[in-house]
Amino acid sequence: MASGEAGRGAGPRTGGGDGAGGGLWSSLGGLTTRGRSFLAAGIAATGCSYVLGQSDLLRVGLLLTVLPLVCVVVLHGTRHRVTGSRGLSPSRVPAGSEARVHLRVDNVSRLPTGLLMLQDRVPYVLGPRPRFVLDRVEPGGRREVSYRVRSELRGRYPLGPLQLRLTDPFGMCELTRGFSAFDTLTVVPRVVPLPPVRLGGEATGYGDGRQRSLALAGADDIIPRGYRHGDDLRRVHWRSTARYGELMVRREEQPQRAHCTVLLDTRGVAYDGMGPDSPFEWAVSGAASAAAHLLERGFSVRLLTDAGSSVPGPDGMGGHSGSSHDPAEAVGLLLDTLAVVDHSDGESLSPAHEALRGGGGGLLVAFFGDLDEQQTALAGQMRRRSGTAVAFVLDRSAWPHDDHPPRPGHGAEQRLRALREAGWTALAVTPGASMAELWRMAGAPGDRDAAQERTSHAAGGAANRPPEGPAGATGLPGGEAARHAPGAAGGPGAAAAGSSDGRPQGGPYGGVTDVDDGRAAGRPGGGAGSGGSGPFGPPRPPTVPPMPSVPPWPSGPPSTKGFG
């Protein structure tokens, strides 16, 4: 909460000097039109009374002259006995959410105040400038008001200074007092809750197979070792001492956290449009959602931009940690950084590639803008420096824009295919895409492949049909159409031919199924009734070996011979 302290000379004054005299003379500039009219009329009446020798007119002139001056003196002393304070709740809000600002005015003088007008300066992005009119405040009293601010754009916005305008009961003078305290409202990108999925980078930081490393401090694991000279006796593990028969101490070990790098492409040439619905804002919101999700799951997250600058973390390793530190605090630090991120002037991802070259691997989550051939190849090389890489690539042709038409030959499908061949799990970002759904698809390759297969079949299903031959043939080579015709030999509906052993030769899939002696019509080199040979034949069920023949049970009652 920001506040202006009471006392003479506290806070800047309107047109005031440094001393008391300068402040009083500056207060004369606060005379209203009424006050100046009274002062002018009083001076004129005093002069006329001197010329005309009228004592009653002199009394009226003195009254009209002294009244505005007395109001200036009283108001000048009162304005420094009124304090103002501001409270902001909360100080960090997502884009599109509201924050409430509380204003409080206290009268610490022994005299009541006149009419007060309270005004707070806010940027135009947060809305109109709030103004409040307060009635007189009794000695020792207070007044509280509040207003709301909201912004659809990220950033840090100053609130203040708070200005208090005081007037006397007669309306002769109006003075303004400003308080030098400021507050800052931080509007962070929207964070979308992501579903828990299993990514490849979690193997090093989760589960029973987590690697462990020795540390000087951290979570203790009871892994005893023999006592050494200089070990702290408070580390003695008595159970292990009794078990092994010698003095054992506990070793301090700390689980090794999984590392993740969130790469945000901020190149201005890679994005079109501005505003809360622009693709760049989607990428910033996606990076914030991914970083917050991974921090909550215990990852050590590093935020990296295309310019090669990374956000230093509290763990001293270039990344924020969500296990040894408060995850909410680490998320807040990253969101504060993303609140002020803007387009860069660079045109290449080379600085980010150099920064990843010196990294320690781990999971890599990238949010790319529009990529050309060179940048796509460079992004493919980044994959070699990480364990698992997930890329969300902007489909520029799908987003509405006027300045930059789609680039021929560099569609989203070509870029995604090149990244996947390099080992990325690449997903296209289109307008209205859900970050939660894309994240789920990144962790479920089967669902992603099925969705992509449905899309490709819908686009080119007609082109994949077999061509028709002449005279209505099905396009099957070598007389296959004749064998697959209804009623043809070996085709659907063909009559079953008998074999030498009397078993039927026809099957539901066309062709004979002779499993006893290995004669399999429908295979290459089969009999005349084979229908299903060649690459265009219908699928055939697996061949099942016959059951061995069992001799029948002898007739008559069972023999009891030999059973005693």
Side-chain angles (χ1 to χ4, degrees):
M1 175 176 291
S3 62
E5 297 295 331
R8 186 173 301 274
R13 301 178 228 170
T14 305
D18 297 335
L24 184 59
W25 279 109
S26 65
S27 299
L28 291 175
L31 286 172
T32 61
T33 303
R34 180 185 301 177
R36 294 177 181 179
S37 299
F38 268 63
L39 184 60
I43 295 175
T46 303
C48 291
S49 65
Y50 179 76
V51 173
L52 299 176
Q54 296 291 331
S55 60
D56 294 337
L57 186 58
L58 178 61
R59 297 188 187 97
V60 175
L62 292 177
L63 177 62
L64 295 178
T65 303
V66 171
L67 181 59
L69 297 178
V70 171
C71 292
V72 170
V73 174
V74 173
L75 199 61
H76 174 76
T78 303
R79 70 169 180 172
H80 295 292
R81 305 300 297 175
V82 177
T83 62
S85 59
R86 181 193 304 105
L88 182 59
S89 176
S91 60
R92 181 191 295 119
V93 295
S97 300
E98 292 183 345
R100 183 172 289 273
V101 183
H102 301 270
L103 303 179
R104 173 177 165 179
V105 177
D106 295 271
N107 183 16
V108 296
S109 66
R110 298 180 182 179
L111 298 175
T113 65
L115 197 63
L116 300 179
M117 189 178 75
L118 199 60
Q119 176 178 290
D120 203 10
R121 290 186 178 180
V122 298
Y124 72 94
V125 178
L126 302 181
R129 180 174 298 181
R131 293 182 176 91
F132 304 93
V133 178
L134 306 179
D135 200 359
R136 61 185 299 272
V137 182
E138 65 278 2
R142 68 178 60 172
R143 296 290 186 270
E144 294 183 0
V145 292
S146 63
Y147 65 94
R148 297 178 180 179
V149 291
R150 176 179 179 177
S151 175
E152 297 289 342
L153 301 177
R154 300 174 293 106
R156 292 179 181 174
Y157 303 100
L159 300 179
L162 180 64
Q163 292 183 347
L164 185 63
R165 183 173 297 177
L166 302 89
T167 59
D168 63 281
F170 301 102
M172 299 290 179
C173 184
E174 186 178 89
L175 298 181
T176 302
R177 181 187 178 188
F179 302 94
S180 58
F182 288 83
D183 280 315
T184 301
L185 175 65
T186 304
V187 181
V188 299
R190 296 183 182 93
V191 176
V192 180
L194 301 181
V197 297
R198 182 77 176 183
L199 297 175
E202 297 185 25
T204 59
Y206 272 100
D208 298 334
R210 181 187 303 179
Q211 299 179 359
R212 300 180 180 274
S213 59
L214 293 177
L216 296 179
D220 293 342
D221 283 307
I222 304 177
I223 303 179
R225 60 170 177 82
Y227 177 81
R228 298 174 184 173
H229 179 72
D231 288 340
D232 191 353
L233 294 179
R234 291 176 296 181
R235 308 292 302 176
V236 174
H237 191 251
W238 298 108
R239 289 186 180 179
S240 300
T241 300
R243 179 179 179 181
Y244 293 99
E246 59 177 333
L247 200 59
M248 306 292 292
V249 296
R250 291 176 297 177
R251 279 193 301 187
E252 293 182 342
E253 288 205 2
Q254 184 180 20
Q256 183 178 358
R257 295 181 299 272
H259 294 274
C260 173
T261 300
V262 177
L263 174 60
L264 177 60
D265 184 7
T266 62
R267 295 173 299 136
V269 297
Y271 299 93
D272 294 321
M274 299 179 62
D277 297 330
S278 62
F280 180 67
E281 293 299 324
W282 191 99
V284 175
S285 177
S289 303
H293 176 75
L294 295 172
L295 280 171
E296 292 174 356
R297 303 197 66 180
F299 276 75
S300 177
V301 180
R302 177 180 63 159
L303 179 62
L304 182 66
T305 64
D306 61 289
S309 59
S310 61
V311 178
D315 56 359
M317 298 177 61
H320 292 278
S321 171
S323 57
S324 60
H325 300 83
D326 185 12
E329 180 182 358
V331 171
L333 293 175
L334 278 175
L335 291 181
D336 289 344
T337 303
L338 290 173
V340 295
V341 69
D342 202 355
H343 290 293
S344 64
D345 298 332
E347 298 182 358
S348 175
L349 298 173
S350 299
H353 179 249
E354 295 295 331
L356 289 174
R357 180 177 299 180
L363 178 63
L364 176 60
V365 181
F367 293 84
F368 291 121
D370 187 39
L371 300 176
D372 54 15
E373 287 185 356
Q374 182 180 2
Q375 303 307 317
T376 302
L378 193 59
Q381 298 177 8
M382 297 180 185
R383 167 64 181 84
R384 306 172 185 174
R385 304 294 177 180
S386 62
T388 301
V390 180
F392 300 92
V393 185
L394 172 68
D395 186 359
R396 194 171 191 175
S397 61
W399 290 83
H401 53 86
D402 299 329
D403 299 335
H404 302 280
R407 301 179 181 178
H410 301 293
E413 291 298 330
Q414 289 82 356
R415 297 193 299 270
L416 293 177
R417 187 180 301 110
L419 291 177
R420 288 165 186 164
E421 291 176 355
W424 285 83
T425 301
L427 299 170
V429 178
T430 57
S434 172
M435 179 61 193
E437 181 64 20
L438 293 177
W439 186 263
R440 186 189 64 80
M441 294 173 60
D447 296 345
R448 182 182 67 251
D449 296 340
Q452 295 170 357
E453 185 177 357
R454 288 194 300 268
T455 304
S456 61
H457 284 180
N464 295 331
R465 295 172 184 166
E468 293 187 358
T474 60
L476 299 178
E480 290 291 332
R483 289 197 297 268
H484 283 79
S499 64
S500 60
D501 53 2
R503 287 192 299 270
Q505 298 285 342
Y509 293 87
V512 294
T513 308
D514 193 347
V515 297
D516 286 346
D517 54 359
R519 295 193 306 269
R523 301 176 184 175
S530 62
S533 63
F536 297 92
R540 185 182 301 106
T543 302
V544 181
M547 296 293 295
S549 60
V550 180
W553 189 269
S555 61
S559 175
T560 59
K561 183 177 180 180
F563 289 90

